[in-house]
C-alpha cells in the first residue's frame, strides 16, 4: 500500500500553483507520517514536471536556532556545477530571514523554463561543522493546448443521445425515469486501449465507448504518441550532460565511439565547427575529443558530436569571475526637470550590470525614459528629466557586488536674490537694470510697457550665471518707462522704472549763492543715505546752481577726493558734479561731504554711502549627535551679515571622498540647528552651510569634520544565571544580534531589588567579556538583573532575566574529575615541563591540598595554583627526585574527595657493564655484557653494538635495539683485529657513553684457492627488427612535424628513409636523427605536397626490416571566415 503526498511548487509568473502527486512508502509506526532530518525544515520536491516557457520556483527552509553562525546555501546542477555564477535574467536567487522563528528561506526561480534546464539538481547548506543536502529532478515537457485528462469529454458530441455513453449531462438532467442502481465497474483507461490497439480496431473501440469525433481522436492520438528513443550503437561512452569552465580557461569534451576509424562532426548550437587554433579536434583510437582554448562567454552553448545518424549532446557553462563594484553610487537631490546620472565603476570591462528602481528592474525599452551608458568599466543610468515619480532608491547589481543611491526630487522654486532697482538718468548717460535669481540656468525676457525689448547697438542683454542685465547706452527721452524681467518657465516678473531727467537752463542773476540740489529718488532709501550693492557702480549726479559757477569739493571724513580718474573719482560738468565709485567695496562705506562755494556764499551736504554685500560664510560647522540614519548639525552665524539682515541658510552634504554635494533644502532655513535625515549608517559624511541675505548667497562654509551615522546595538541575547553564592551572582550572555557600524565597546550590568525601580550599576568600567560576577549582594534577597550593550551611539535596550534571583549559596559535594590520561602512570623526561590541570566541582569553594608519598608537597620544588574550578600542579624543569605518588585531597567542611597520580621522571641510562669477547670462530665473534647499574628510572629497551678494526678505528653499527645482553658479530674480515663497544637504551634514548670491550677479536688468515669459471663470449648478433612502428599522422600545413620509430640490430644497421618508395636525399627540409636506436624524421614546415607514404628501412649483414606510415597534410582554415 502506497501513501499519496501532494507537494506544491510555485510555477509561472503569477501565483499559479500546481500539485504533483508523488507516491511514497508508508513510514514505520504511524501511517502517512513523514519526518524531516538534518538542517532543513522544508525541502524542494524530489520530482517536478515543468511546462516549457513557464516559470518555476523552488523553496528550502533552514532552522538556525541551534546554529552558531549564518548558514551558507549552494544550488548545484549535476554533481558539481555551482548555479550561483548563472544568476541573471534566467535564474534568480533570493534569501530572507525571519527573526521571530529564526528560519532562513532560500528560493531559486527559473524564468521561462527551457529543455536544457531538465536534469538533476542539489541544494547544500553548511554551517561551521554541520551540513545537509537534498536532491530533486526537473522534467521539462512541451507546452500543450489541449488537456488529456478526460478523453471521453473531449471527443463526445453534445448532440449524442442518452445511450451514446454516460457523459452527456444534459441528457441525464432531462431523464425523469429512475434507473436501477448499477454495480460500479472498474474504470477503463480508453487511451491505453487506443494506444495499444491496431489501427483497424480504432472505430470499434470508439463506438463501444461513445466517441463520435473520430477525426479529432486520430489527431489527438498522433500528437500524443511517444516515439521510443533508439539505443545508440555508434557511441560506447557519450558526452557528459554538462560541463563547467571558468572564463579564459581550456576545456576538453570527450566521448568514445564504437568504430575507431569512423569520422565524427562537432556542432555548436547546430552549426558545424571547423578546426582552428581555438577548436582542436583529436582522434585517438576509440576516443574523440574537442578542445576549446581560451573560453569566452560566446562558448557558453550546446554542443553535439555526430556519427552518421547518431548524436550525443552536452552543454558548456562558462563561469565569469565575480564582478565587484569599485566606485559606489552617489545620492542626488534635484528639482523637477533636471538631468540625473547615476554612475558606478566595476572591476571588469564589459561586465553585466543590472539596474533596479526599488524592486523593479529597469530595461532599455524604446519608449523608456531611462538610458543606459557603458564606457569601459563605467556604467551610467541616465534620467533626462526627473519627475516626482522618480523619487526613491536606485540599485546597481553585479554578480559580485551591490550599491545604491537615493534620488530626491523637489518642485521648481525660483528665489529672487536681488530685485531690479529704479533708475534716474540724464541724457546720454548709461542705464543698467540688474537682477539676480537663485538658478543660474534660468533664462528670461525683458519687456518695456508690455512689449518685448529686442537687442540693438544701444540696448544689450546679458546673462552671466545667476545675474541678468539690461544695459541701455546713450539714454534718450523715449527710453523712459516701466521695464519688466520675466524668467522663462515661472509665473514671476520683476519690474522697475527708468526716469529721464531733462536739463533746463534758466537765467539766474549773476550774484546767486551756490546751492546743492539733491535727488532723493533712486538709490536713496532715506534722505542723504545711499545703498550700493558691493561690486556695483555708484554714480551720483548732484545738480549745482550759483552765479558765478561755484567750486565743488568732495571729501570722505577729513580726506578730500580730488582724483578725476580711477576707481573712486569726481567728474565735473556744467552745473553738475558727478561722484563715481566703480566696483563698490566694503571699505567705501562712510559719510561723504560735498561743499560748493562762490563769492556769493557756500552750501554743504553730507551723504552716507552704505555698502551691502553677500554675507560671510557661517562658521564652526559641527555634528553634535548621530542616529542610525540621521545627524544633528549646529553652526555659528557669519561674522558679517553683508549689511543686510540674514534670511536663512542652505545646507549641503556629501559622502567623504566624493566630489558631488547634495542639497538638503530648497527653502531657506532660518535656524542654526539642523537635523539631516535619510543617511546610510556606517558611511562617512561631510556638511557645509551657505548664508543668505537680500543681496545673495554667501560662499560655502568650511566642511565639517567627517561624521558617521551610527545606531546603538540591539539588546544582548540569552542572558542567564551561571552561579549564585551568599553574596555574588555570576551572569553570562551572548552578543547582540545587530551590532551595526559603531561596533561594540562593552556592557553595563545593573541590578535592583524585586519591586524597586532604582537600578544600581554593578561595574565601574565597561565589561568587555560576555560574563560578569556581581558582588556585595544581600543574602536571601530577590534581585533583578539586566545587561545593556554600549557603543559610540549610546546604550542599547536592556536584556532582562525572566524572573528574580534569590541570593543563597547552593551546597554541592566535592568531586575530582581526573582526566583519563592521568589515571595511568604519568611518565616525563628529565628537563621537561609538567603542567597538570585537575578540574573539580563543589560548593562552596573546596580546599585543595597536594601530597607526595603521604607528605605535603615541598613548595620549593613544586608549584601549586588553585582556582574555583581546578587545581594546577606545575614543575618548570622535572628532575629524578620529582618521581613519586602524588595525591590531591579536596575538602568542604567534613566532606572530601581524593585522587592519586603516579609520576615517573626518566633519564638516559648508564653504559653496560663487563663487555667482553667470549669466543671467536671463522669470521664470527661472540660478545657478552651485564645490564647497566643506572637504568634511568625505567626499563632498558635494548642495546646498540658497534665494531671497529684496529687499523682504521672507524666505528660501524652491528646491531640496533638488541634486547638480549649478548650477540654474535658476523661477516668479519679475515686478517683484521676488531674491538667492540655497546650502548644501553631506554625510553629516553641511548646512554651518553658506551662501554668498550675488555678484549679484542682477531680473525686469522687461512689458505684459500680461487677457481675461476671459464669465460665464453656471447654472440649478440641479430638482424634488424623494429620494436616501435611508425604511426599514421594528420598535420596542419606550415607547422613542423616529426615521425618516429625504434629499431634494434647488431651490427648497427644502416637506416634509409623513403617517401612513396623513393629515397630521401640530403634535402635540408628533412632532418634524420638516430639516438640509441630511436629514429626520428623531422619535416620542416610541410606543405600538401609533402603528404604521402613514408617508409623507414634498416639494413645490416644479417637481414633487412622496414616500417611504413601515412602522413596527411591538411590546409588550416579560419573558423570566422565562412
Amino acid at each position: 500500500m502506497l501513501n499519496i503526498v501532494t507537494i506544491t511548487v510555485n510555477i509561472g509568473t503569477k501565483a499559479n500553483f500546481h500539485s504533483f502527486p508523488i507516491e511514497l512508502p508508508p513510514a514505520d509506526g504511524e501511517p502517512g507520517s513523514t519526518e524531516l532530518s538534518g538542517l532543513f525544515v522544508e525541502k524542494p520536491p524530489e520530482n517536478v514536471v515543468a511546462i516549457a516557457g513557464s516559470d518555476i520556483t523552488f523553496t528550502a527552509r533552514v532552522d538556525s536556532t541551534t546554529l552558531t553562525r549564518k548558514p551558507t546555501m549552494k544550488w548545484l546542477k549535476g554533481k558539481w556545477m555551482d548555479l550561483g555564477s548563472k544568476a541573471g535574467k534566467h535564474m534568480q536567487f533570493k534569501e530572507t530571514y525571519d527573526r521571530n522563528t529564526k528560519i532562513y528561506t532560500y528560493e531559486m526561480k527559473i524564468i521561462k523554463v527551457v529543455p536544457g534546464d531538465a536534469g538533476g539538481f542539489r541544494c547544500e547548506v553548511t554551517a561551521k561543522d554541520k551540513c545537509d543536502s537534498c536532491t530533486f529532478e526537473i522534467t521539462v515537457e512541451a507546452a500543450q493546448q489541449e488537456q488529456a485528462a478526460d478523453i471521453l469529454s473531449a471527443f463526445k458530441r453534445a448532440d449524442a443521445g442518452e445511450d451514446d455513453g454516460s457523459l452527456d449531462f444534459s441528457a441525464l438532467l432531462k431523464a425523469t425515469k429512475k434507473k436501477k442502481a448499477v454495480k460500479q465497474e472498474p474504470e477503463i483507461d480508453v487511451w491505453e486501449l487506443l494506444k495499444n490497439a491496431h489501427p483497424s480496431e480504432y472505430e470499434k473501440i470508439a463506438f463501444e465507448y461513445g466517441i463520435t469525433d473520430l477525426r479529432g481522436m486520430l489527431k489527438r492520438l498522433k500528437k500524443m504518441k511517444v516515439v521510443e528513443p533508439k539505443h545508440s550503437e555508434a557511441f560506447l561512452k557519450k558526452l557528459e550532460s554538462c560541463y563547467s569552465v571558468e572564463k579564459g580557461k581550456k576545456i576538453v569534451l570527450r566521448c568514445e565511439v564504437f568504430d575507431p576509424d569512423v569520422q565524427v562532426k562537432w556542432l555548436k548550437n547546430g552549426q558545424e565547427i571547423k578546426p582552428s587554433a581555438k577548436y582542436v579536434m583529436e582522434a585517438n583510437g576509440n576516443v574523440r575529443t574537442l578542445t576549446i582554448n581560451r573560453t569566452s562567454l560566446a562558448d557558453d552553448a550546446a554542443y553535439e558530436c555526430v556519427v552518421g545518424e547518431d548524436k550525443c549532446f552536452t552543454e558548456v557553462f562558462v563561469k565569469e569571475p565575480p564582478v565587484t563594484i569599485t566606485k559606489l553610487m552617489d545620492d542626488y537631490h534635484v528639482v523637477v526637470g533636471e538631468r540625473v546620472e547615476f554612475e558606478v565603476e566595476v572591476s571588469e570591462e564589459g561586465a553585466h550590470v543590472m539596474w533596479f528602481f526599488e524592486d523593479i528592474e529597469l530595461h532599455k525599452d524604446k519608449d523608456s525614459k531611462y538610458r543606459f551608458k557603458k564606457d569601459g568599466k563605467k556604467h551610467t543610468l541616465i534620467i533626462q528629466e526627473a519627475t516626482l515619480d522618480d523619487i526613491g532608491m536606485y540599485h546597481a547589481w553585479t554578480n559580485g557586488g551591490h550599491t545604491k543611491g537615493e534620488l530626491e526630487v523637489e518642485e521648481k522654486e525660483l528665489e529672487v536674490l536681488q530685485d531690479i532697482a529704479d533708475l534716474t538718468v540724464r541724457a546720454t548717460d548709461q542705464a543698467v537694470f540688474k537682477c539676480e535669481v537663485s538658478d543660474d540656468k534660468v533664462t528670461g525676457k525683458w519687456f518695456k510697457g508690455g512689449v518685448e525689448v529686442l537687442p540693438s547697438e544701444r540696448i544689450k542683454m546679458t546673462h552671466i550665471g545667476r545675474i541678468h542685465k539690461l544695459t541701455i547706452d546713450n539714454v534718450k527721452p523715449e527710453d523712459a518707462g516701466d521695464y519688466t524681467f520675466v524668467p522663462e518657465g515661472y509665473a514671476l516678473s520683476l519690474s522697475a522704472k527708468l526716469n529721464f531727467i531733462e536739463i533746463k537752463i534758466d537765467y539766474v542773476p549773476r550774484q546767486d549763492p551756490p546751492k546743492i540740489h539733491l535727488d532723493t529718488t533712486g538709490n536713496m532709501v532715506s534722505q542723504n543715505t545711499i545703498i550700493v550693492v558691493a561690486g556695483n557702480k555708484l554714480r551720483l549726479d548732484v545738480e549745482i546752481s550759483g552765479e558765478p559757477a561755484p567750486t565743488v569739493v568732495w571729501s570722505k571724513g577729513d580726506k578730500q577726493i580730488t582724483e578725476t580718474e580711477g576707481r573712486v573719482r569726481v567728474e565735473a560738468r556744467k552745473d553738475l558734479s558727478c561722484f563715481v565709485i566703480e566696483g563698490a567695496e566694503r571699505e567705501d562705506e562712510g559719510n561723504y561731504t560735498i561743499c560748493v562755494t562762490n563769492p556769493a556764499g557756500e552750501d554743504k551736504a553730507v551723504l552716507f554711502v552704505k555698502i551691502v554685500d553677500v554675507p560671510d560664510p557661517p562658521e564652526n560647522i559641527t555634528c553634535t549627535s548621530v542616529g542610525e540614519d540621521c545627524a544633528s548639525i549646529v553652526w555659528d552665524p557669519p561674522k558679517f551679515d553683508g549689511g543686510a539682515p540674514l534670511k536663512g541658510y542652505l545646507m549641503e552634504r556629501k559622502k567623504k571622498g566624493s566630489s558631488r554635494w547634495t542639497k538638503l533644502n530648497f527653502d531657506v532655513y532660518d535656524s542654526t540647528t539642523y537635523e539631516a535625515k535619510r543617511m546610510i549608517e556606517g558611511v562617512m559624511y561631510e556638511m557645509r552651510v551657505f548664508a543668505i541675505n537680500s543681496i545673495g548667497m554667501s560662499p560655502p562654509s568650511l566642511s565639517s569634520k567627517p561624521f558617521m551615522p551610527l545606531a546603538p546595538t540591539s539588546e544582548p541575547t540569552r542572558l542567564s544565571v551561571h552561579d549564585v553564592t551568599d553574596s555574588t551572582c555570576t551572569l553570562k550572555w551572548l552578543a547582540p544580534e545587530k551590532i551595526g557600524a559603531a561596533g561594540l565597546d562593552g556592557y553595563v550590568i545593573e541590578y535592583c531589588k524585586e519591586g524597586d525601580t532604582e537600578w544600581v550599576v554593578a561595574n565601574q568600567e565597561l565589561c568587555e567579556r560576555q560574563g560578569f560576577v556581581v558582588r556585595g549582594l544581600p543574602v536571601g534577597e530577590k534581585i533583578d538583573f539586566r545587561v545593556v550593550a554600549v557603543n559610540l551611539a549610546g546604550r542599547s535596550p536592556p536584556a532582562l532575566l525572566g524572573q528574580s534571583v534569590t541570593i543563597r549559596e547552593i551546597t554541592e559535594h566535592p568531586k575530582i574529575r581526573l582526566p583519563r590520561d592521568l589515571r595511568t602512570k604519568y611518565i616525563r623526561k628529565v628537563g621537561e615541563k609538567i603542567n597538570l590541570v585537575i578540574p573539580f566541582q563543589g560548593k562552596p569553594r573546596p580546599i585543595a591540598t597536594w601530597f607526595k608519598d603521604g607528605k605535603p608537597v615541598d613548595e620549593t620544588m613544586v608549584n601549586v595554583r588553585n582556582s574555583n574550578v581546578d587545581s594546577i600542579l606545575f614543575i618548570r624543569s622535572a628532575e629524578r627526585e620529582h618521581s613519586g605518588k602524588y595525591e590531591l585531597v579536596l575538602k568542604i567542611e567534613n566532606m572530601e574527595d581524593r585522587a592519586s597520580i603516579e609520576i615517573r621522571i626518566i633519564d638516559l641510562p648508564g653504559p653496560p657493564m663487563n663487555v667482553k669477547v667470549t669466543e671467536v670462530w671463522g669470521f664470527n665473534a661472540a660478545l657478552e655484557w651485564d645490564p647497566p647499574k643506572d637504568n634511568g628510572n625505567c626499563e632498558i629497551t635494548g642495546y646498540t653494538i658497534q665494531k671497529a678494526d684496529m687499523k682504521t678505528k672507524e666505528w660501524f653499527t652491528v646491531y640496533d635495539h638488541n634486547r638480549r645482553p649478548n650477540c654474535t658479530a658476523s661477516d668479519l674480515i679475515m686478517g683484521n683485529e676488531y674491538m667492540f663497544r655497546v650502548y644501553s637504551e631506554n625510553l629516553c634514548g641511548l646512554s651518553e657513553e658506551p662501554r668498550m670491550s675488555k678484549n679484542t677479536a682477531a680473525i686469522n688468515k687461512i689458505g684459500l684457492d680461487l677457481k675461476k669459471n671459464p669465460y665464453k663470449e656471447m654472440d649478440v648478433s641479430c638482424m634488424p627488427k623494429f620494436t616501435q612502428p611508425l604511426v599514421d599522422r594528420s598535420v596542419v600545413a606550415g607547422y613542423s612535424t616529426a615521425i618516429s620509430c625504434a629499431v634494434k640490430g647488431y651490427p648497427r644497421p644502416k637506416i634509409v628513409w623513403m617517401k612513396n618508395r623513393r629515397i630521401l636525399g640530403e634535402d635540408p627540409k628533412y632532418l634524420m636523427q638516430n639516438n640509441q636506436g630511436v629514429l626520428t624524421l623531422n619535416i620542416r614546415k610541410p606543405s600538401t605536397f609533402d603528404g604521402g607514404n613514408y617508409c623507414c628501412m634498416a639494413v645490416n649483414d644479417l637481414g633487412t626490416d622496414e616500417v611504413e606510415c601515412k602522413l596527411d597534410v591538411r590546409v588550416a582554415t579560419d573558423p570566422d571566415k565562412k
Side-chain angles (χ1 to χ4, degrees):
M1 190 69 181
L2 294 176
N3 296 332
I4 306 298
V5 180
T6 300
I7 300 179
T8 302
V9 181
N10 185 4
I11 300 180
T13 54
K14 297 182 179 179
N16 300 326
F17 293 90
H18 300 267
S19 297
F20 301 94
I22 301 174
E23 296 184 354
L24 299 174
D28 298 335
E30 184 181 352
S33 64
T34 60
E35 182 179 355
L36 293 171
S37 62
L39 300 176
F40 286 107
V41 296
E42 181 180 338
K43 301 180 179 179
E46 294 182 358
N47 294 286
V48 176
V49 179
I51 307 301
S54 63
D55 298 350
I56 184 169
T57 302
F58 295 92
T59 303
R61 290 186 172 88
V62 177
D63 187 2
S64 64
T65 53
T66 60
L67 304 180
T68 58
R69 62 176 62 182
K70 178 183 175 182
T72 303
M73 170 66 78
K74 283 187 178 181
W75 295 89
L76 307 171
K77 183 177 181 182
K79 293 182 179 180
W80 49 270
M81 190 180 69
D82 191 354
L83 297 177
S85 61
K86 291 300 189 181
K89 293 183 179 179
H90 184 58
M91 284 191 176
Q92 297 180 0
F93 302 92
K94 184 179 180 182
E95 173 187 339
T96 57
Y97 176 65
D98 189 343
R99 289 189 175 181
N100 297 325
T101 61
K102 298 187 183 301
I103 289 180
Y104 287 88
T105 303
Y106 302 92
E107 293 184 1
M108 179 181 74
K109 185 175 183 181
I110 304 178
I111 309 296
K112 295 182 180 179
V113 176
V114 297
D117 294 326
F121 291 76
R122 187 169 83 255
C123 59
E124 290 185 354
V125 59
T126 56
K128 201 175 181 180
D129 55 346
K130 297 183 180 180
C131 64
D132 197 3
S133 66
C134 67
T135 59
F136 55 94
E137 188 85 16
I138 299 179
T139 304
V140 180
E141 291 186 353
Q144 298 179 2
Q145 299 294 331
E146 302 178 16
Q147 297 292 331
D150 190 355
I151 190 171
L152 296 180
S153 61
F155 301 114
K156 179 118 185 271
R157 288 180 178 171
D159 57 353
E162 184 176 343
D163 296 331
D164 295 335
S166 59
L167 297 177
D168 192 347
F169 294 103
S170 61
L172 292 175
L173 293 173
K174 293 178 183 178
T176 55
K177 190 194 299 183
K178 287 187 178 180
K179 296 183 179 182
K180 295 182 179 180
V182 181
K183 184 178 179 182
Q184 187 175 4
E185 296 182 359
E187 184 178 353
I188 298 174
D189 191 345
V190 180
W191 174 247
E192 289 295 329
L193 291 177
L194 289 170
K195 189 166 65 173
N196 299 324
H198 192 271
S200 62
E201 298 180 356
Y202 286 170
E203 187 175 358
K204 179 181 176 182
I205 296 174
F207 179 78
E208 181 179 354
Y209 290 96
I211 301 174
T212 56
D213 190 0
L214 296 179
R215 180 175 298 176
M217 183 195 72
L218 292 175
K219 288 182 180 179
R220 184 66 178 170
L221 185 63
K222 182 178 180 181
K223 185 183 297 185
M224 294 296 291
K225 272 199 173 181
V226 179
V227 179
E228 293 294 331
K230 295 181 180 180
H231 178 70
S232 174
E233 298 181 355
F235 292 95
L236 294 176
K237 183 179 179 181
K238 294 188 176 184
L239 297 169
E240 297 288 343
S241 61
C242 61
Y243 294 84
S244 178
V245 63
E246 293 185 2
K247 181 181 176 183
K249 298 296 181 65
K250 179 178 75 173
I251 187 171
V252 179
L253 310 184
R254 182 180 183 275
C255 65
E256 296 182 14
V257 296
F258 185 79
D259 185 0
D261 299 326
V262 73
Q263 297 294 327
V264 301
K265 289 183 180 180
W266 292 91
L267 306 181
K268 173 184 174 182
N269 289 337
Q271 301 293 326
E272 184 175 356
I273 302 174
K274 299 296 182 182
S276 64
K278 183 175 181 67
Y279 299 101
V280 180
M281 305 171 192
E282 295 179 332
N284 185 7
N286 297 85
V287 179
R288 300 293 185 269
T289 58
L290 170 64
T291 303
I292 307 174
N293 296 312
R294 298 187 300 276
T295 54
S296 62
L297 294 181
D299 297 318
D300 191 302
Y303 292 82
E304 305 173 33
C305 182
V306 181
V307 179
E309 298 293 330
D310 291 329
K311 301 179 181 179
C312 60
F313 303 87
T314 188
E315 191 172 1
V316 174
F317 297 95
V318 180
K319 296 190 292 185
E320 289 187 88
V323 179
T324 59
I325 297 177
T326 57
K327 180 182 178 183
L328 300 180
M329 194 187 304
D330 290 326
D331 297 333
Y332 269 88
H333 196 148
V334 298
V335 297
V336 174
E338 282 190 346
R339 177 187 173 99
V340 178
E341 292 186 5
F342 286 107
E343 182 181 283
V344 297
E345 212 170 295
V346 296
S347 59
E348 295 285 342
E349 289 191 8
H352 178 61
V353 176
M354 294 186 294
W355 294 91
F356 286 82
F357 172 53
E358 300 295 351
D359 296 330
I360 303 171
E361 184 175 2
L362 305 179
H363 300 284
K364 187 176 181 181
D365 300 330
K366 182 177 179 182
D367 299 330
S368 175
K369 63 180 177 180
Y370 301 105
R371 294 291 180 267
F372 304 93
K373 179 182 176 183
K374 291 184 181 180
D375 183 10
K377 297 182 181 180
K378 291 184 179 179
H379 294 252
T380 308
L381 170 65
I382 301 173
I383 304 175
Q384 293 290 354
E385 295 184 358
T387 63
L388 295 178
D389 296 334
D390 297 325
I391 297 175
M393 194 69 70
Y394 289 79
H395 304 260
W397 291 86
T398 65
N399 61 357
H402 166 245
T403 182
K404 61 182 178 179
E406 185 179 12
L407 175 61
E408 297 181 4
V409 184
E410 294 194 5
E411 291 282 2
K412 277 188 177 180
E413 292 185 7
L414 191 66
E415 182 179 357
V416 179
L417 303 179
Q418 181 180 352
D419 205 345
I420 305 174
D422 294 339
L423 296 178
T424 301
V425 296
R426 294 178 180 273
T428 70
D429 286 350
Q430 183 188 64
V432 179
F433 289 103
K434 175 184 173 183
C435 66
E436 185 178 357
V437 294
S438 58
D439 191 349
D440 57 357
K441 297 180 181 179
V442 171
T443 60
K445 296 181 179 180
W446 292 88
F447 295 87
K448 176 189 175 186
V451 179
E452 184 178 355
V453 178
L454 300 177
S456 64
E457 293 183 358
R458 288 194 312 113
I459 302 175
K460 296 180 178 60
M461 289 169 281
T462 59
H463 172 203
I464 302 175
R466 296 179 296 192
I467 298 175
H468 298 259
K469 286 184 179 181
L470 173 63
T471 304
I472 305 175
D473 296 326
N474 194 15
V475 176
K476 299 178 180 180
E478 57 267 21
D479 293 328
D482 294 327
Y483 287 83
T484 305
F485 175 72
V486 179
E488 189 172 351
Y490 295 90
L492 177 68
S493 63
L494 308 176
S495 300
K497 189 172 184 179
L498 177 61
N499 300 312
F500 182 79
I501 299 177
E502 293 186 5
I503 302 176
K504 296 181 179 180
I505 302 176
D506 297 330
Y507 173 76
V508 293
R510 295 182 64 87
Q511 292 293 330
D512 189 9
K515 186 170 180 62
I516 300 173
H517 303 276
L518 287 176
D519 185 4
T520 59
T521 61
N523 290 336
M524 292 193 181
V525 295
S526 62
Q527 190 172 7
N528 295 354
T529 300
I530 302 173
I531 296 178
V532 182
V533 177
N536 287 2
K537 177 180 179 181
L538 171 64
R539 183 182 181 90
L540 185 60
D541 296 334
V542 180
E543 186 179 355
I544 299 171
S545 61
E547 189 65 30
T551 301
V552 182
V553 177
W554 288 86
S555 60
K556 180 183 180 183
D558 298 332
K559 182 180 178 181
Q560 290 188 1
I561 301 173
T562 59
E563 293 83 357
T564 58
E565 293 182 357
R567 190 178 67 84
V568 181
R569 63 183 182 272
V570 177
E571 297 177 358
R573 298 182 185 179
K574 187 179 180 180
D575 299 333
L576 198 67
S577 180
C578 299
F579 178 67
V580 180
I581 300 178
E582 295 279 358
E585 298 176 355
R586 294 183 184 178
E587 293 76 12
D588 297 329
E589 184 173 316
N591 290 312
Y592 290 83
T593 304
I594 178 174
C595 180
V596 293
T597 59
N598 70 355
E602 180 184 79
D603 196 5
K604 184 183 291 187
V606 179
L607 302 174
F608 178 70
V609 177
K610 183 177 182 181
I611 307 298
V612 294
D613 196 359
V614 295
D616 288 345
E619 299 178 342
N620 301 326
I621 315 300
T622 307
C623 175
T624 58
S625 63
V626 293
E628 183 175 4
D629 60 348
C630 60
S632 295
I633 308 298
V634 297
W635 61 88
D636 295 335
K639 291 183 177 179
F640 177 63
D641 60 2
L646 290 177
K647 290 186 176 182
Y649 304 92
L650 292 177
M651 283 70 70
E652 291 183 349
R653 78 176 180 215
K654 74 177 182 69
K655 297 176 182 177
K656 185 181 179 182
S658 174
S659 59
R660 185 183 298 277
W661 290 91
T662 303
K663 292 182 180 179
L664 299 182
N665 63 314
F666 285 88
D667 296 331
V668 176
Y669 188 76
D670 56 2
S671 176
T672 57
T673 302
Y674 183 77
E675 184 177 4
K677 298 182 178 179
R678 306 184 73 174
M679 307 173 84
I680 302 174
E681 184 182 5
V683 176
M684 298 292 288
Y685 288 91
E686 295 178 356
M687 292 277 293
R688 68 181 184 184
V689 184
F690 298 82
I692 296 176
N693 62 6
S694 58
I695 306 304
M697 186 165 62
S698 72
S701 66
L702 295 176
S703 299
S704 66
K705 291 183 179 180
F707 60 90
M708 181 186 297
L710 300 171
T713 68
S714 60
E715 68 276 4
T717 58
R718 300 188 181 182
L719 176 62
S720 61
V721 177
H722 182 68
D723 191 16
V724 180
T725 67
D726 286 342
S727 61
T728 65
C729 179
T730 304
L731 303 176
K732 288 192 175 181
W733 61 89
L734 295 180
E737 289 184 355
K738 179 184 176 184
I739 294 180
L744 179 62
D745 295 338
Y747 302 91
V748 174
I749 298 89
E750 299 175 339
Y751 66 91
C752 72
K753 293 183 179 180
E754 185 181 23
D756 289 353
T757 58
E758 183 177 354
W759 292 89
V760 179
V761 177
N763 54 325
Q764 299 300 323
E765 297 181 354
L766 290 178
C767 175
E768 297 182 357
R769 297 181 298 174
Q770 296 175 2
F772 189 78
V773 180
V774 183
R775 305 182 185 277
L777 300 174
V779 180
E781 291 286 348
K782 288 187 176 182
I783 304 296
D784 291 327
F785 295 92
R786 71 180 184 185
V787 179
V788 177
V790 179
N791 64 3
L792 289 174
R795 292 164 56 101
S796 72
L800 298 169
L801 284 173
Q803 56 186 4
S804 302
V805 179
T806 303
I807 308 302
R808 183 176 292 113
E809 181 74 51
I810 301 174
T811 304
E812 183 180 356
H813 287 269
K815 185 171 181 62
I816 300 173
R817 299 193 175 274
L818 191 65
R820 186 180 299 274
D821 59 332
L822 298 179
R823 296 177 186 177
T824 58
K825 191 177 294 182
Y826 187 76
I827 299 175
R828 283 293 180 270
K829 297 179 182 179
V830 170
E832 288 186 347
K833 180 175 65 176
I834 297 177
N835 188 17
L836 303 181
V837 180
I838 313 299
F840 56 75
Q841 62 187 34
K843 286 188 179 181
R845 176 179 176 176
I847 299 173
T849 308
W850 285 89
F851 295 89
K852 179 189 176 186
D853 299 331
K855 299 180 181 179
V857 296
D858 187 356
E859 294 185 357
T860 60
M861 298 177 61
V862 177
N863 296 320
V864 176
R865 186 189 67 81
N866 298 323
S867 69
N868 293 334
V869 294
D870 59 24
S871 179
I872 299 177
L873 179 70
F874 179 74
I875 301 174
R876 186 175 301 278
S877 180
E879 301 292 342
R880 295 273 289 273
E881 54 266 23
H882 289 134
S883 301
K885 184 177 181 181
Y886 290 80
E887 187 176 22
L888 173 62
V889 179
L890 204 64
K891 286 188 177 182
I892 300 178
E893 297 177 355
N894 59 348
M895 298 178 291
E896 72 173 28
D897 191 15
R898 295 172 178 264
S900 298
I901 303 170
E902 184 174 352
I903 297 177
R904 177 180 292 182
I905 309 301
I906 61 177
D907 198 358
L908 293 175
M913 305 294 294
N914 302 325
V915 179
K916 59 185 177 179
V917 179
T918 59
E919 186 179 357
V920 177
W921 72 98
F923 303 105
N924 308 308
L927 285 83
E928 291 183 358
W929 60 88
D930 296 332
K933 289 183 178 180
D934 182 10
N935 62 0
N937 204 22
C938 69
E939 181 183 358
I940 298 296
T941 58
Y943 300 92
T944 298
I945 300 95
Q946 294 180 345
K947 67 180 180 180
D949 64 82
M950 299 298 290
K951 297 176 182 178
T952 63
K953 296 189 178 181
E954 293 183 4
W955 293 97
F956 299 92
T957 300
V958 179
Y959 292 106
D960 279 335
H961 312 297
N962 186 67
R963 302 187 65 84
R964 292 179 296 179
N966 53 70
C967 72
T968 299
S970 304
D971 298 330
L972 302 179
I973 298 174
M974 183 174 57
N976 288 350
E977 185 178 0
Y978 292 89
M979 57 182 176
F980 299 88
R981 66 183 183 186
V982 181
Y983 292 88
S984 55
E985 183 180 5
N986 64 3
L987 292 177
C988 284
L990 296 176
S991 59
E992 294 180 351
E993 296 179 355
R995 181 72 67 187
M996 304 293 296
S997 60
K998 296 181 178 180
N999 53 350
T1000 60
I1003 309 300
N1004 298 322
K1005 292 184 179 180
I1006 58 177
L1008 296 175
D1009 294 330
L1010 176 64
K1011 295 181 179 180
K1012 295 184 179 180
N1013 293 327
Y1015 173 73
K1016 183 180 180 180
E1017 187 174 355
M1018 182 178 180
D1019 185 9
V1020 294
S1021 300
C1022 68
M1023 66 178 290
K1025 184 177 181 181
F1026 283 92
T1027 59
Q1028 182 67 33
L1030 293 172
V1031 180
D1032 294 346
R1033 294 208 60 184
S1034 176
V1035 298
V1036 178
Y1039 292 87
S1040 298
T1041 186
I1043 54 177
S1044 301
C1045 59
V1047 67
K1048 69 177 183 177
Y1050 189 83
R1052 183 173 180 177
K1054 179 183 177 182
I1055 306 301
V1056 179
W1057 287 92
M1058 293 180 288
K1059 173 190 172 188
N1060 295 333
R1061 309 307 297 179
R1062 297 184 63 181
I1063 297 176
L1064 300 175
E1066 297 298 328
D1067 190 344
K1069 189 179 185 99
Y1070 301 99
L1071 176 62
M1072 307 168 194
Q1073 295 177 328
N1074 184 349
N1075 183 14
Q1076 300 294 329
V1078 178
L1079 310 179
T1080 304
L1081 176 63
N1082 293 282
I1083 306 173
R1084 181 177 178 273
K1085 295 185 178 179
S1087 63
T1088 54
F1089 175 76
D1090 294 315
N1093 293 322
Y1094 284 80
C1095 177
C1096 181
M1097 179 184 294
V1099 181
N1100 69 1
D1101 296 338
L1102 300 178
T1104 303
D1105 194 10
E1106 65 179 32
V1107 289
E1108 189 175 352
C1109 72
K1110 183 180 180 181
L1111 179 65
D1112 182 21
V1113 182
R1114 64 181 187 275
V1115 180
T1117 59
D1118 189 352
D1120 297 331
K1121 297 180 181 179
K1122 295 184 180 179

